[in-house]
Amino acid sequence: MISRDTLIRLIKDFNENPYPSDLKERSLGIPLEIPLKRAISIIGPRRSGKTYMMFLLIRRLIEKGVKPNRILYVNFESYNLIGAKLSDAKRLVDVYFEIYPENRNRKVWFFLDEIQNLEGWETFVRSLIDKGGISIYISGSSSKLLSREIATQLRGRTISYEIYPLSFNEFLDFKEIRFDEFLSSRDRSRIINALNEYLEWGGYPETLLFDKEKILREILEVTIQRDLIERYKIRNEKILKILIRALAYSKEFSVHKFYNFLKSSGYRISKNTLYNYMEMLSDILVIFPVRKFFSSYKKEERSIPKIYFVDNGLLRIQGVDSRSKLMENLVFMHLLRDFGRNKISYYKTINGQEVDFVIRENSRVKQLIQVCYGIEDFNVKEREVKSLLRASRDLSCNNLLIITYDYEDVERIGNRKIIFKPLWKWLLKIN
């Protein structure tokens, strides 16, 4: 049992110092007003900034005039709460209202971080929702707080938001690089230098402060150990690591071919286990399989996926140094933020020409996107353009974009217009 004095200190300590003083802004998109009888769940890969996002929300509430004593933040991973039971969590709420009895009839905000450490947390959260008058935010490791699990355990009582490592806009904010539409040579140079760093090492917030490679290796190792091996009781860690490396280097990933490779190398594992490993990596938001575009849902689900990682840094520590591959992965993650995973696919023509991204809106194709690092090479440019034009005819879409590293132009070919846009301008939405 957690002592009453400990619970009091947790509440009062937060009230005196409700958020870190050095917070930098991130794009939230998470409301401060929650629909009736709902909680907000903040989900994301390990170390992507879920706790940070909670503190940003707390700061915004206080800036809007909400007194700190109307807010309760609890981190269930705190050493003070090791071994906390459901009864301790209920007592914590009782103690909070004993300290601030005036809040019993006022709206309050509860932020419950690393909630998965509390056994029976869903019962606790549901009871708070049923009380009414409490806006509840929960977050936790993606291994224990998956979207589909929340949907089951809270039975439609929650709205989920996914948090990823920093976008390029946020990355520039963290580095205190300001920009507008009209840039001097110096400003442009600073943005390009930042882009090169972001392209190679990604946007995990800690990599801006500490040894990049060391931090990224630690993140991946902890993810493998806690979010996969411990959670799913995986016994074959070596094959899991071989799989992650193979996914990092793949263009299109066939489980069948990978299974045959393992078999020929003397490894014994079932094909179903490999499919399960893939699903686990996707569940914890480390990888994102993107399917080939078909008008038939069944055909699309049976297609061989292209694999993208949640952050370029995780590719980099696997040894991936191809600027083209890193650039394509970066573009995918920004499309994911803008459109969500269900609206993105890739396309292959009947003769094998490929378009990197097909963006859908309802039942129609909204945009076709190629990603090309070295477009200045005539043969490369011709290949990319031909693929785009063919897909444009096949899918009846004239919104055609080629994202380049630093080449900009507009070309008209017949009745179609192709926009060539530098990566940094596209990321920052600069015309």
Side-chain angles (χ1 to χ4, degrees), residues 86 88 98 126 160 168 180 207 214 220 272 315 352 355 375 401 411:
L86 199 58
D88 295 311
E98 283 179 33
R126 278 201 303 270
S160 295
F168 187 50
D180 57 30
T207 62
K214 185 175 182 180
L220 183 59
N272 280 342
L315 287 174
V355 170
I375 199 72
L401 173 66
E411 291 189 13

Side-chain angles (χ1 to χ4, degrees), residues 164-179:
Y164 303 114
L166 302 174
S167 69
F168 187 50
N169 236 319
E170 293 170 331
F171 185 81
L172 293 180
D173 282 344
F174 270 57
K175 293 179 78 71
E176 297 184 351
I177 296 174
R178 307 289 177 239
F179 68 92

Side-chain angles (χ1 to χ4, degrees), residues 52-70:
Y52 196 96
M53 196 62 72
M54 282 192 157
F55 283 131
L56 280 174
L57 288 164
I58 289 167
R59 185 174 75 177
R60 287 199 177 180
L61 282 170
I62 292 171
E63 287 173 347
K64 289 174 74 71
V66 175
K67 290 184 177 180
N69 65 18
R70 291 175 63 190

Side-chain angles (χ1 to χ4, degrees), residues 236-250 252-278 281 304 307:
N236 204 327
E237 181 179 348
K238 186 171 183 180
I239 287 181
L240 179 61
K241 288 184 175 180
I242 293 171
L243 172 62
I244 291 171
R245 186 170 175 80
L247 290 169
Y249 278 90
S250 70
E252 295 167 23
F253 188 82
S254 165
V255 170
H256 176 72
K257 288 182 180 178
F258 183 66
Y259 167 78
N260 288 336
F261 160 74
L262 290 175
K263 191 175 178 183
S264 67
S265 302
Y267 294 103
R268 297 183 62 186
I269 191 168
S270 74
K271 203 179 293 185
N272 280 342
T273 299
L274 291 176
Y275 278 114
N276 287 337
Y277 284 3
M278 290 279 289
L281 285 164
I304 297 175
I307 304 296

